[in-house]
Amino acid sequence: MNIENAQLAVDEWIKEHGVRYFNELTNMAQLTEEVGEVARIIARRYGEQSEKESDKNKDLGEELADVVFVVLCLANQTGIDLQAAFDKQLDIKTKRDHERHQNNPKLK
């Protein structure tokens, strides 16, 4: 599924199951919460903190998907074509960063 189709799928889900979008500030708060859950898993699973027993069964993929869902909601409700924005940003990064990363001795 591409981003455009994902935006449409989220919009259909909201209309069928969610009644309406939460307002932008509520969704921003939700996004922050979801990113925090991702950070907690990564910090404990891959960082130096020990993982609590209650966190060991948490699914990083599910938490990342929650982040994507809320980002798609925000894009929909603010009129952003996220596929076009992503494609443009990838092009900018490709042109700007190719040589920079290729020549970075820290990455070799």
Side-chain angles (χ1 to χ4, degrees), residues 5-104:
N5 288 337
Q7 277 189 256
L8 290 171
V10 165
D11 194 57
E12 290 172 10
W13 187 92
I14 293 293
K15 289 173 181 171
E16 186 174 334
H17 303 285
V19 180
R20 65 168 177 79
Y21 287 94
F22 296 131
N23 69 43
E24 295 84 354
L25 287 175
T26 299
N27 274 336
M28 187 62 229
Q30 267 196 302
L31 179 60
T32 302
E33 180 181 333
E34 297 300 349
V35 169
E37 291 177 21
V38 169
R40 180 184 179 100
I41 291 171
I42 290 175
R44 296 181 191 298
R45 197 165 294 163
Y46 304 103
E48 296 175 341
Q49 289 185 307
S50 60
E51 193 168 24
K52 293 181 179 179
E53 200 60 42
S54 61
D55 290 339
K56 288 184 178 177
N57 291 326
K58 296 206 178 199
D59 186 324
L60 180 58
E62 286 181 17
E63 298 304 333
L64 288 168
D66 285 342
V67 169
V68 171
F69 185 89
V70 180
V71 167
L72 293 169
C73 285
L74 284 165
N76 284 348
Q77 66 193 130
T78 57
I80 302 295
D81 178 343
L82 202 52
Q83 183 71 62
F86 181 83
D87 292 343
K88 179 180 176 183
Q89 193 61 30
L90 190 59
D91 186 54
I92 289 168
K93 286 182 180 301
T94 299
K95 290 174 182 169
R96 181 189 68 203
D97 297 337
H98 176 75
E99 287 186 30
R100 184 176 125 220
H101 293 311
Q102 294 295 323
N103 297 325
N104 183 348

